[in-house]
Amino acid sequence: MSRIIVAAHASFCPGVRRAVTLLEQAAAHGGEGIYCLGEIIHNRQFNDSVRQKGVRILSEAELDALPADAHIFIRTHGVERQTYERLAAGGYACTDATCPYVRKIHEIVSSAGPDAAVVILGDETHPEVVGIRSFAGERAYICGSAAEAAEVLPARLAADAPAIAVAQTTFDVGEWKKFCEFFKNLYTNAKIFDTICKATEYRQKEAAHMSEICQAMVVVGDAKSSNTSRLAMICREHCGKVILVDQASQLEPDFFRGVSDVGITAGASTPAWIIKEANNTM
């Protein structure tokens, strides 16, 4: 190995950094009484570290069992509309760490109007998309790719129907562009909102470029992280040797045998110290 190139846009995006800072400040003197509604970010090591401080990570099904003095943190991905309303009605102390970009999508789809269809590009099982869907009303369509949208929407949505389109903040930029081209041509009364986070866009472009010039790519982050998995997918389109690891101990010397230039990139929820550890190990 002659050169290791570390992506300039690796590690926390602004939304994740804000959420992590809020939680760490609250737990600085002990996390007892703090409850995260879902994993505040998708990173195993970070979530383990806050658990060790006494912070509890719970599901929405466990809300009824919370003590009255519980301090609740809402994850970066946001939650469903009814959960926000439930927390407000319950009078809990609550810190909303929902990413501002995600909150903006909630506002966009909420204001679409009762007659407008809402098309959401993203992973229908991801908590961010589940939350967005809850704000979208009855006429919502979730598509995982441009091809799926082109196959499904014409049969369900008239060409002159009022509609809006948004994307999961970490959606693939290339897929989004393909979708927009199709959607604009078919639906004359549609409005398209480019809701992919700019940090995601920079990260994906950088990963594509690095994987074209490197003989191997290391993607650092939790496999449960949507944007981390997408980075690995993008790298594999350009490079034959790509590995996704969530910690340095998973790196094997054999992977780098016969390789000169190696690139390191990381998901938006990967702490900087984990990237540094992987770099030092290599």
Side-chain angles (χ1 to χ4, degrees), residues 177-212:
K177 288 180 178 177
K178 291 178 189 175
F179 164 79
C180 290
E181 184 176 347
F182 143 77
F183 199 66
K184 283 187 289 189
N185 289 336
L186 188 59
Y187 296 101
T188 54
N189 293 325
K191 294 181 180 179
I192 298 175
F193 295 87
D194 188 358
T195 55
I196 296 177
C197 170
K198 288 302 177 185
T200 294
E201 187 173 349
Y202 297 149
R203 200 180 305 264
Q204 290 181 5
K205 287 181 178 178
E206 189 175 40
H209 173 68
M210 289 175 63
S211 57
E212 287 176 341

PDB file of all heavy atoms in Angstrom, residues 177-212:
ATOM      1  N   LYS A 177     -31.881  12.075  -9.844  1.00  0.00           N
ATOM      2  CA  LYS A 177     -31.854  12.795 -11.120  1.00  0.00           C
ATOM      3  C   LYS A 177     -32.614  12.031 -12.201  1.00  0.00           C
ATOM      4  O   LYS A 177     -33.338  12.628 -13.003  1.00  0.00           O
ATOM      5  CB  LYS A 177     -30.405  13.043 -11.540  1.00  0.00           C
ATOM      6  CG  LYS A 177     -29.694  14.098 -10.697  1.00  0.00           C
ATOM      7  CD  LYS A 177     -28.261  14.311 -11.135  1.00  0.00           C
ATOM      8  CE  LYS A 177     -27.598  15.401 -10.306  1.00  0.00           C
ATOM      9  NZ  LYS A 177     -26.161  15.588 -10.655  1.00  0.00           N
ATOM     10  N   LYS A 178     -32.461  10.707 -12.223  1.00  0.00           N
ATOM     11  CA  LYS A 178     -33.214   9.883 -13.180  1.00  0.00           C
ATOM     12  C   LYS A 178     -34.709  10.027 -12.933  1.00  0.00           C
ATOM     13  O   LYS A 178     -35.514  10.156 -13.866  1.00  0.00           O
ATOM     14  CB  LYS A 178     -32.811   8.416 -13.050  1.00  0.00           C
ATOM     15  CG  LYS A 178     -31.411   8.086 -13.503  1.00  0.00           C
ATOM     16  CD  LYS A 178     -31.131   6.608 -13.267  1.00  0.00           C
ATOM     17  CE  LYS A 178     -29.683   6.258 -13.507  1.00  0.00           C
ATOM     18  NZ  LYS A 178     -29.393   4.841 -13.170  1.00  0.00           N
ATOM     19  N   PHE A 179     -35.097   9.975 -11.667  1.00  0.00           N
ATOM     20  CA  PHE A 179     -36.509  10.101 -11.318  1.00  0.00           C
ATOM     21  C   PHE A 179     -37.059  11.463 -11.755  1.00  0.00           C
ATOM     22  O   PHE A 179     -38.135  11.546 -12.339  1.00  0.00           O
ATOM     23  CB  PHE A 179     -36.709   9.923  -9.811  1.00  0.00           C
ATOM     24  CG  PHE A 179     -38.046  10.405  -9.333  1.00  0.00           C
ATOM     25  CD1 PHE A 179     -39.175   9.621  -9.503  1.00  0.00           C
ATOM     26  CD2 PHE A 179     -38.190  11.658  -8.755  1.00  0.00           C
ATOM     27  CE1 PHE A 179     -40.424  10.075  -9.094  1.00  0.00           C
ATOM     28  CE2 PHE A 179     -39.424  12.119  -8.346  1.00  0.00           C
ATOM     29  CZ  PHE A 179     -40.547  11.321  -8.518  1.00  0.00           C
ATOM     30  N   CYS A 180     -36.328  12.538 -11.454  1.00  0.00           N
ATOM     31  CA  CYS A 180     -36.801  13.893 -11.774  1.00  0.00           C
ATOM     32  C   CYS A 180     -37.050  14.067 -13.265  1.00  0.00           C
ATOM     33  O   CYS A 180     -38.036  14.700 -13.677  1.00  0.00           O
ATOM     34  CB  CYS A 180     -35.790  14.932 -11.287  1.00  0.00           C
ATOM     35  SG  CYS A 180     -35.708  15.086  -9.485  1.00  0.00           S
ATOM     36  N   GLU A 181     -36.172  13.491 -14.078  1.00  0.00           N
ATOM     37  CA  GLU A 181     -36.333  13.587 -15.531  1.00  0.00           C
ATOM     38  C   GLU A 181     -37.624  12.922 -15.975  1.00  0.00           C
ATOM     39  O   GLU A 181     -38.408  13.479 -16.753  1.00  0.00           O
ATOM     40  CB  GLU A 181     -35.128  12.944 -16.223  1.00  0.00           C
ATOM     41  CG  GLU A 181     -35.144  13.084 -17.734  1.00  0.00           C
ATOM     42  CD  GLU A 181     -33.893  12.513 -18.379  1.00  0.00           C
ATOM     43  OE1 GLU A 181     -32.910  12.233 -17.656  1.00  0.00           O
ATOM     44  OE2 GLU A 181     -33.910  12.347 -19.608  1.00  0.00           O
ATOM     45  N   PHE A 182     -37.878  11.733 -15.466  1.00  0.00           N
ATOM     46  CA  PHE A 182     -39.107  11.008 -15.805  1.00  0.00           C
ATOM     47  C   PHE A 182     -40.342  11.750 -15.283  1.00  0.00           C
ATOM     48  O   PHE A 182     -41.336  11.922 -15.981  1.00  0.00           O
ATOM     49  CB  PHE A 182     -39.033   9.588 -15.211  1.00  0.00           C
ATOM     50  CG  PHE A 182     -40.340   9.056 -14.690  1.00  0.00           C
ATOM     51  CD1 PHE A 182     -41.312   8.583 -15.559  1.00  0.00           C
ATOM     52  CD2 PHE A 182     -40.599   9.025 -13.323  1.00  0.00           C
ATOM     53  CE1 PHE A 182     -42.517   8.101 -15.073  1.00  0.00           C
ATOM     54  CE2 PHE A 182     -41.799   8.546 -12.837  1.00  0.00           C
ATOM     55  CZ  PHE A 182     -42.761   8.081 -13.715  1.00  0.00           C
ATOM     56  N   PHE A 183     -40.265  12.209 -14.033  1.00  0.00           N
ATOM     57  CA  PHE A 183     -41.420  12.796 -13.363  1.00  0.00           C
ATOM     58  C   PHE A 183     -41.838  14.113 -14.019  1.00  0.00           C
ATOM     59  O   PHE A 183     -43.032  14.371 -14.231  1.00  0.00           O
ATOM     60  CB  PHE A 183     -41.074  13.012 -11.887  1.00  0.00           C
ATOM     61  CG  PHE A 183     -42.266  13.168 -10.991  1.00  0.00           C
ATOM     62  CD1 PHE A 183     -43.151  12.125 -10.780  1.00  0.00           C
ATOM     63  CD2 PHE A 183     -42.501  14.371 -10.326  1.00  0.00           C
ATOM     64  CE1 PHE A 183     -44.239  12.258  -9.939  1.00  0.00           C
ATOM     65  CE2 PHE A 183     -43.593  14.526  -9.485  1.00  0.00           C
ATOM     66  CZ  PHE A 183     -44.468  13.465  -9.295  1.00  0.00           C
ATOM     67  N   LYS A 184     -40.860  14.945 -14.362  1.00  0.00           N
ATOM     68  CA  LYS A 184     -41.161  16.233 -15.003  1.00  0.00           C
ATOM     69  C   LYS A 184     -41.801  16.042 -16.372  1.00  0.00           C
ATOM     70  O   LYS A 184     -42.681  16.809 -16.773  1.00  0.00           O
ATOM     71  CB  LYS A 184     -39.886  17.062 -15.137  1.00  0.00           C
ATOM     72  CG  LYS A 184     -39.423  17.715 -13.855  1.00  0.00           C
ATOM     73  CD  LYS A 184     -38.259  18.656 -14.069  1.00  0.00           C
ATOM     74  CE  LYS A 184     -36.989  17.917 -14.387  1.00  0.00           C
ATOM     75  NZ  LYS A 184     -35.789  18.795 -14.385  1.00  0.00           N
ATOM     76  N   ASN A 185     -41.364  15.020 -17.097  1.00  0.00           N
ATOM     77  CA  ASN A 185     -41.891  14.773 -18.434  1.00  0.00           C
ATOM     78  C   ASN A 185     -43.316  14.244 -18.406  1.00  0.00           C
ATOM     79  O   ASN A 185     -44.113  14.519 -19.313  1.00  0.00           O
ATOM     80  CB  ASN A 185     -40.997  13.786 -19.186  1.00  0.00           C
ATOM     81  CG  ASN A 185     -39.674  14.407 -19.579  1.00  0.00           C
ATOM     82  OD1 ASN A 185     -39.559  15.622 -19.697  1.00  0.00           O
ATOM     83  ND2 ASN A 185     -38.663  13.581 -19.781  1.00  0.00           N
ATOM     84  N   LEU A 186     -43.647  13.481 -17.355  1.00  0.00           N
ATOM     85  CA  LEU A 186     -44.952  12.823 -17.314  1.00  0.00           C
ATOM     86  C   LEU A 186     -46.014  13.644 -16.596  1.00  0.00           C
ATOM     87  O   LEU A 186     -47.176  13.673 -17.007  1.00  0.00           O
ATOM     88  CB  LEU A 186     -44.819  11.451 -16.646  1.00  0.00           C
ATOM     89  CG  LEU A 186     -46.052  10.543 -16.700  1.00  0.00           C
ATOM     90  CD1 LEU A 186     -46.450  10.263 -18.158  1.00  0.00           C
ATOM     91  CD2 LEU A 186     -45.797   9.233 -15.977  1.00  0.00           C
ATOM     92  N   TYR A 187     -45.629  14.353 -15.537  1.00  0.00           N
ATOM     93  CA  TYR A 187     -46.611  15.048 -14.711  1.00  0.00           C
ATOM     94  C   TYR A 187     -46.442  16.568 -14.830  1.00  0.00           C
ATOM     95  O   TYR A 187     -45.530  17.153 -14.258  1.00  0.00           O
ATOM     96  CB  TYR A 187     -46.494  14.588 -13.248  1.00  0.00           C
ATOM     97  CG  TYR A 187     -46.831  13.128 -13.106  1.00  0.00           C
ATOM     98  CD1 TYR A 187     -45.829  12.173 -12.990  1.00  0.00           C
ATOM     99  CD2 TYR A 187     -48.160  12.703 -13.145  1.00  0.00           C
ATOM    100  CE1 TYR A 187     -46.139  10.821 -12.890  1.00  0.00           C
ATOM    101  CE2 TYR A 187     -48.479  11.353 -13.053  1.00  0.00           C
ATOM    102  CZ  TYR A 187     -47.474  10.427 -12.927  1.00  0.00           C
ATOM    103  OH  TYR A 187     -47.780   9.093 -12.839  1.00  0.00           O
ATOM    104  N   THR A 188     -47.350  17.173 -15.561  1.00  0.00           N
ATOM    105  CA  THR A 188     -47.230  18.601 -15.879  1.00  0.00           C
ATOM    106  C   THR A 188     -47.593  19.500 -14.703  1.00  0.00           C
ATOM    107  O   THR A 188     -47.174  20.656 -14.658  1.00  0.00           O
ATOM    108  CB  THR A 188     -48.126  18.945 -17.074  1.00  0.00           C
ATOM    109  OG1 THR A 188     -49.467  18.497 -16.791  1.00  0.00           O
ATOM    110  CG2 THR A 188     -47.638  18.232 -18.331  1.00  0.00           C
ATOM    111  N   ASN A 189     -48.380  18.988 -13.764  1.00  0.00           N
ATOM    112  CA  ASN A 189     -48.803  19.798 -12.611  1.00  0.00           C
ATOM    113  C   ASN A 189     -48.035  19.437 -11.343  1.00  0.00           C
ATOM    114  O   ASN A 189     -48.494  19.718 -10.233  1.00  0.00           O
ATOM    115  CB  ASN A 189     -50.306  19.633 -12.355  1.00  0.00           C
ATOM    116  CG  ASN A 189     -51.140  20.228 -13.478  1.00  0.00           C
ATOM    117  OD1 ASN A 189     -50.754  21.243 -14.048  1.00  0.00           O
ATOM    118  ND2 ASN A 189     -52.255  19.602 -13.806  1.00  0.00           N
ATOM    119  N   ALA A 190     -46.899  18.818 -11.499  1.00  0.00           N
ATOM    120  CA  ALA A 190     -46.141  18.359 -10.336  1.00  0.00           C
ATOM    121  C   ALA A 190     -45.109  19.391  -9.889  1.00  0.00           C
ATOM    122  O   ALA A 190     -44.614  20.186 -10.687  1.00  0.00           O
ATOM    123  CB  ALA A 190     -45.438  17.040 -10.665  1.00  0.00           C
ATOM    124  N   LYS A 191     -44.802  19.362  -8.610  1.00  0.00           N
ATOM    125  CA  LYS A 191     -43.732  20.174  -8.041  1.00  0.00           C
ATOM    126  C   LYS A 191     -42.679  19.241  -7.444  1.00  0.00           C
ATOM    127  O   LYS A 191     -43.020  18.314  -6.714  1.00  0.00           O
ATOM    128  CB  LYS A 191     -44.277  21.114  -6.959  1.00  0.00           C
ATOM    129  CG  LYS A 191     -45.221  22.178  -7.472  1.00  0.00           C
ATOM    130  CD  LYS A 191     -45.690  23.075  -6.332  1.00  0.00           C
ATOM    131  CE  LYS A 191     -46.646  24.148  -6.839  1.00  0.00           C
ATOM    132  NZ  LYS A 191     -47.123  25.005  -5.722  1.00  0.00           N
ATOM    133  N   ILE A 192     -41.431  19.510  -7.760  1.00  0.00           N
ATOM    134  CA  ILE A 192     -40.334  18.671  -7.271  1.00  0.00           C
ATOM    135  C   ILE A 192     -39.506  19.472  -6.279  1.00  0.00           C
ATOM    136  O   ILE A 192     -39.076  20.595  -6.572  1.00  0.00           O
ATOM    137  CB  ILE A 192     -39.447  18.188  -8.438  1.00  0.00           C
ATOM    138  CG1 ILE A 192     -40.271  17.336  -9.397  1.00  0.00           C
ATOM    139  CG2 ILE A 192     -38.251  17.405  -7.916  1.00  0.00           C
ATOM    140  CD1 ILE A 192     -39.514  16.923 -10.650  1.00  0.00           C
ATOM    141  N   PHE A 193     -39.300  18.890  -5.109  1.00  0.00           N
ATOM    142  CA  PHE A 193     -38.491  19.525  -4.072  1.00  0.00           C
ATOM    143  C   PHE A 193     -37.218  18.700  -3.884  1.00  0.00           C
ATOM    144  O   PHE A 193     -37.289  17.519  -3.532  1.00  0.00           O
ATOM    145  CB  PHE A 193     -39.267  19.598  -2.757  1.00  0.00           C
ATOM    146  CG  PHE A 193     -40.482  20.482  -2.821  1.00  0.00           C
ATOM    147  CD1 PHE A 193     -41.707  19.972  -3.253  1.00  0.00           C
ATOM    148  CD2 PHE A 193     -40.402  21.820  -2.471  1.00  0.00           C
ATOM    149  CE1 PHE A 193     -42.832  20.778  -3.317  1.00  0.00           C
ATOM    150  CE2 PHE A 193     -41.524  22.634  -2.534  1.00  0.00           C
ATOM    151  CZ  PHE A 193     -42.738  22.118  -2.954  1.00  0.00           C
ATOM    152  N   ASP A 194     -36.085  19.323  -4.129  1.00  0.00           N
ATOM    153  CA  ASP A 194     -34.807  18.621  -3.998  1.00  0.00           C
ATOM    154  C   ASP A 194     -34.415  18.595  -2.520  1.00  0.00           C
ATOM    155  O   ASP A 194     -33.844  19.548  -1.995  1.00  0.00           O
ATOM    156  CB  ASP A 194     -33.724  19.330  -4.816  1.00  0.00           C
ATOM    157  CG  ASP A 194     -32.432  18.539  -4.874  1.00  0.00           C
ATOM    158  OD1 ASP A 194     -32.367  17.465  -4.240  1.00  0.00           O
ATOM    159  OD2 ASP A 194     -31.486  18.989  -5.526  1.00  0.00           O
ATOM    160  N   THR A 195     -34.743  17.497  -1.852  1.00  0.00           N
ATOM    161  CA  THR A 195     -34.577  17.423  -0.394  1.00  0.00           C
ATOM    162  C   THR A 195     -33.390  16.557   0.035  1.00  0.00           C
ATOM    163  O   THR A 195     -33.243  16.266   1.221  1.00  0.00           O
ATOM    164  CB  THR A 195     -35.861  16.872   0.257  1.00  0.00           C
ATOM    165  OG1 THR A 195     -36.201  15.612  -0.343  1.00  0.00           O
ATOM    166  CG2 THR A 195     -37.019  17.843   0.074  1.00  0.00           C
ATOM    167  N   ILE A 196     -32.563  16.145  -0.905  1.00  0.00           N
ATOM    168  CA  ILE A 196     -31.354  15.401  -0.519  1.00  0.00           C
ATOM    169  C   ILE A 196     -30.386  16.371   0.149  1.00  0.00           C
ATOM    170  O   ILE A 196     -30.110  17.456  -0.366  1.00  0.00           O
ATOM    171  CB  ILE A 196     -30.699  14.738  -1.739  1.00  0.00           C
ATOM    172  CG1 ILE A 196     -31.644  13.686  -2.335  1.00  0.00           C
ATOM    173  CG2 ILE A 196     -29.367  14.088  -1.362  1.00  0.00           C
ATOM    174  CD1 ILE A 196     -31.109  13.024  -3.580  1.00  0.00           C
ATOM    175  N   CYS A 197     -29.893  15.984   1.304  1.00  0.00           N
ATOM    176  CA  CYS A 197     -28.968  16.824   2.064  1.00  0.00           C
ATOM    177  C   CYS A 197     -27.704  17.085   1.246  1.00  0.00           C
ATOM    178  O   CYS A 197     -27.169  16.180   0.606  1.00  0.00           O
ATOM    179  CB  CYS A 197     -28.625  16.108   3.373  1.00  0.00           C
ATOM    180  SG  CYS A 197     -27.295  16.848   4.305  1.00  0.00           S
ATOM    181  N   LYS A 198     -27.239  18.339   1.254  1.00  0.00           N
ATOM    182  CA  LYS A 198     -26.041  18.689   0.486  1.00  0.00           C
ATOM    183  C   LYS A 198     -24.819  17.921   0.967  1.00  0.00           C
ATOM    184  O   LYS A 198     -23.955  17.562   0.170  1.00  0.00           O
ATOM    185  CB  LYS A 198     -25.788  20.192   0.575  1.00  0.00           C
ATOM    186  CG  LYS A 198     -26.781  21.034  -0.205  1.00  0.00           C
ATOM    187  CD  LYS A 198     -26.786  20.656  -1.681  1.00  0.00           C
ATOM    188  CE  LYS A 198     -27.822  21.441  -2.466  1.00  0.00           C
ATOM    189  NZ  LYS A 198     -27.909  20.984  -3.881  1.00  0.00           N
ATOM    190  N   ALA A 199     -24.744  17.667   2.270  1.00  0.00           N
ATOM    191  CA  ALA A 199     -23.626  16.879   2.794  1.00  0.00           C
ATOM    192  C   ALA A 199     -23.636  15.474   2.188  1.00  0.00           C
ATOM    193  O   ALA A 199     -22.586  14.913   1.863  1.00  0.00           O
ATOM    194  CB  ALA A 199     -23.700  16.805   4.316  1.00  0.00           C
ATOM    195  N   THR A 200     -24.823  14.917   1.993  1.00  0.00           N
ATOM    196  CA  THR A 200     -24.954  13.608   1.357  1.00  0.00           C
ATOM    197  C   THR A 200     -24.496  13.671  -0.091  1.00  0.00           C
ATOM    198  O   THR A 200     -23.770  12.788  -0.572  1.00  0.00           O
ATOM    199  CB  THR A 200     -26.424  13.136   1.410  1.00  0.00           C
ATOM    200  OG1 THR A 200     -26.796  12.909   2.770  1.00  0.00           O
ATOM    201  CG2 THR A 200     -26.624  11.858   0.607  1.00  0.00           C
ATOM    202  N   GLU A 201     -24.904  14.723  -0.781  1.00  0.00           N
ATOM    203  CA  GLU A 201     -24.528  14.877  -2.194  1.00  0.00           C
ATOM    204  C   GLU A 201     -23.014  14.978  -2.338  1.00  0.00           C
ATOM    205  O   GLU A 201     -22.409  14.304  -3.190  1.00  0.00           O
ATOM    206  CB  GLU A 201     -25.207  16.126  -2.765  1.00  0.00           C
ATOM    207  CG  GLU A 201     -25.018  16.295  -4.254  1.00  0.00           C
ATOM    208  CD  GLU A 201     -25.828  17.440  -4.825  1.00  0.00           C
ATOM    209  OE1 GLU A 201     -26.692  17.978  -4.108  1.00  0.00           O
ATOM    210  OE2 GLU A 201     -25.590  17.799  -5.999  1.00  0.00           O
ATOM    211  N   TYR A 202     -22.368  15.808  -1.527  1.00  0.00           N
ATOM    212  CA  TYR A 202     -20.906  15.946  -1.590  1.00  0.00           C
ATOM    213  C   TYR A 202     -20.226  14.611  -1.289  1.00  0.00           C
ATOM    214  O   TYR A 202     -19.264  14.207  -1.951  1.00  0.00           O
ATOM    215  CB  TYR A 202     -20.419  16.986  -0.571  1.00  0.00           C
ATOM    216  CG  TYR A 202     -20.936  18.382  -0.806  1.00  0.00           C
ATOM    217  CD1 TYR A 202     -21.141  19.245   0.265  1.00  0.00           C
ATOM    218  CD2 TYR A 202     -21.225  18.856  -2.088  1.00  0.00           C
ATOM    219  CE1 TYR A 202     -21.620  20.535   0.074  1.00  0.00           C
ATOM    220  CE2 TYR A 202     -21.702  20.135  -2.286  1.00  0.00           C
ATOM    221  CZ  TYR A 202     -21.902  20.971  -1.200  1.00  0.00           C
ATOM    222  OH  TYR A 202     -22.377  22.238  -1.400  1.00  0.00           O
ATOM    223  N   ARG A 203     -20.732  13.921  -0.276  1.00  0.00           N
ATOM    224  CA  ARG A 203     -20.137  12.652   0.155  1.00  0.00           C
ATOM    225  C   ARG A 203     -20.226  11.609  -0.965  1.00  0.00           C
ATOM    226  O   ARG A 203     -19.279  10.868  -1.215  1.00  0.00           O
ATOM    227  CB  ARG A 203     -20.884  12.176   1.405  1.00  0.00           C
ATOM    228  CG  ARG A 203     -20.156  11.169   2.257  1.00  0.00           C
ATOM    229  CD  ARG A 203     -21.019  10.813   3.447  1.00  0.00           C
ATOM    230  NE  ARG A 203     -21.418  11.986   4.196  1.00  0.00           N
ATOM    231  CZ  ARG A 203     -20.801  12.438   5.280  1.00  0.00           C
ATOM    232  NH1 ARG A 203     -19.739  11.795   5.722  1.00  0.00           N
ATOM    233  NH2 ARG A 203     -21.227  13.497   5.911  1.00  0.00           N
ATOM    234  N   GLN A 204     -21.384  11.545  -1.626  1.00  0.00           N
ATOM    235  CA  GLN A 204     -21.566  10.552  -2.683  1.00  0.00           C
ATOM    236  C   GLN A 204     -20.693  10.853  -3.891  1.00  0.00           C
ATOM    237  O   GLN A 204     -20.094   9.944  -4.483  1.00  0.00           O
ATOM    238  CB  GLN A 204     -23.045  10.486  -3.078  1.00  0.00           C
ATOM    239  CG  GLN A 204     -23.935   9.867  -2.017  1.00  0.00           C
ATOM    240  CD  GLN A 204     -25.390   9.792  -2.435  1.00  0.00           C
ATOM    241  OE1 GLN A 204     -25.749  10.112  -3.570  1.00  0.00           O
ATOM    242  NE2 GLN A 204     -26.247   9.381  -1.524  1.00  0.00           N
ATOM    243  N   LYS A 205     -20.599  12.132  -4.286  1.00  0.00           N
ATOM    244  CA  LYS A 205     -19.749  12.511  -5.421  1.00  0.00           C
ATOM    245  C   LYS A 205     -18.288  12.198  -5.126  1.00  0.00           C
ATOM    246  O   LYS A 205     -17.552  11.699  -5.982  1.00  0.00           O
ATOM    247  CB  LYS A 205     -19.921  14.001  -5.731  1.00  0.00           C
ATOM    248  CG  LYS A 205     -21.246  14.356  -6.396  1.00  0.00           C
ATOM    249  CD  LYS A 205     -21.330  15.849  -6.683  1.00  0.00           C
ATOM    250  CE  LYS A 205     -22.631  16.196  -7.387  1.00  0.00           C
ATOM    251  NZ  LYS A 205     -22.756  17.664  -7.631  1.00  0.00           N
ATOM    252  N   GLU A 206     -17.871  12.495  -3.904  1.00  0.00           N
ATOM    253  CA  GLU A 206     -16.490  12.249  -3.508  1.00  0.00           C
ATOM    254  C   GLU A 206     -16.183  10.760  -3.495  1.00  0.00           C
ATOM    255  O   GLU A 206     -15.122  10.322  -3.956  1.00  0.00           O
ATOM    256  CB  GLU A 206     -16.247  12.852  -2.125  1.00  0.00           C
ATOM    257  CG  GLU A 206     -14.798  12.853  -1.690  1.00  0.00           C
ATOM    258  CD  GLU A 206     -14.624  13.567  -0.365  1.00  0.00           C
ATOM    259  OE1 GLU A 206     -15.485  13.396   0.539  1.00  0.00           O
ATOM    260  OE2 GLU A 206     -13.628  14.291  -0.219  1.00  0.00           O
ATOM    261  N   ALA A 207     -17.120   9.947  -3.001  1.00  0.00           N
ATOM    262  CA  ALA A 207     -16.930   8.499  -2.971  1.00  0.00           C
ATOM    263  C   ALA A 207     -16.811   7.934  -4.381  1.00  0.00           C
ATOM    264  O   ALA A 207     -15.981   7.052  -4.645  1.00  0.00           O
ATOM    265  CB  ALA A 207     -18.088   7.830  -2.228  1.00  0.00           C
ATOM    266  N   ALA A 208     -17.635   8.451  -5.296  1.00  0.00           N
ATOM    267  CA  ALA A 208     -17.568   7.983  -6.690  1.00  0.00           C
ATOM    268  C   ALA A 208     -16.215   8.311  -7.304  1.00  0.00           C
ATOM    269  O   ALA A 208     -15.592   7.467  -7.970  1.00  0.00           O
ATOM    270  CB  ALA A 208     -18.696   8.615  -7.501  1.00  0.00           C
ATOM    271  N   HIS A 209     -15.743   9.540  -7.071  1.00  0.00           N
ATOM    272  CA  HIS A 209     -14.447   9.950  -7.634  1.00  0.00           C
ATOM    273  C   HIS A 209     -13.305   9.141  -7.032  1.00  0.00           C
ATOM    274  O   HIS A 209     -12.432   8.639  -7.764  1.00  0.00           O
ATOM    275  CB  HIS A 209     -14.225  11.435  -7.368  1.00  0.00           C
ATOM    276  CG  HIS A 209     -12.854  11.911  -7.764  1.00  0.00           C
ATOM    277  ND1 HIS A 209     -12.429  11.971  -9.074  1.00  0.00           N
ATOM    278  CD2 HIS A 209     -11.788  12.327  -7.003  1.00  0.00           C
ATOM    279  CE1 HIS A 209     -11.176  12.409  -9.117  1.00  0.00           C
ATOM    280  NE2 HIS A 209     -10.775  12.626  -7.879  1.00  0.00           N
ATOM    281  N   MET A 210     -13.298   8.980  -5.725  1.00  0.00           N
ATOM    282  CA  MET A 210     -12.217   8.247  -5.076  1.00  0.00           C
ATOM    283  C   MET A 210     -12.171   6.791  -5.519  1.00  0.00           C
ATOM    284  O   MET A 210     -11.100   6.218  -5.729  1.00  0.00           O
ATOM    285  CB  MET A 210     -12.375   8.326  -3.553  1.00  0.00           C
ATOM    286  CG  MET A 210     -12.076   9.688  -2.962  1.00  0.00           C
ATOM    287  SD  MET A 210     -12.413   9.767  -1.193  1.00  0.00           S
ATOM    288  CE  MET A 210     -11.237   8.564  -0.569  1.00  0.00           C
ATOM    289  N   SER A 211     -13.342   6.186  -5.673  1.00  0.00           N
ATOM    290  CA  SER A 211     -13.372   4.774  -6.046  1.00  0.00           C
ATOM    291  C   SER A 211     -12.954   4.545  -7.495  1.00  0.00           C
ATOM    292  O   SER A 211     -12.633   3.426  -7.878  1.00  0.00           O
ATOM    293  CB  SER A 211     -14.774   4.192  -5.803  1.00  0.00           C
ATOM    294  OG  SER A 211     -15.766   4.911  -6.510  1.00  0.00           O
ATOM    295  N   GLU A 212     -12.945   5.609  -8.285  1.00  0.00           N
ATOM    296  CA  GLU A 212     -12.453   5.504  -9.668  1.00  0.00           C
ATOM    297  C   GLU A 212     -10.929   5.515  -9.730  1.00  0.00           C
ATOM    298  O   GLU A 212     -10.332   4.930 -10.636  1.00  0.00           O
ATOM    299  CB  GLU A 212     -13.007   6.666 -10.510  1.00  0.00           C
ATOM    300  CG  GLU A 212     -14.486   6.538 -10.839  1.00  0.00           C
ATOM    301  CD  GLU A 212     -15.003   7.751 -11.582  1.00  0.00           C
ATOM    302  OE1 GLU A 212     -14.345   8.814 -11.535  1.00  0.00           O
ATOM    303  OE2 GLU A 212     -16.084   7.646 -12.205  1.00  0.00           O
TER     304      GLU A 212
END
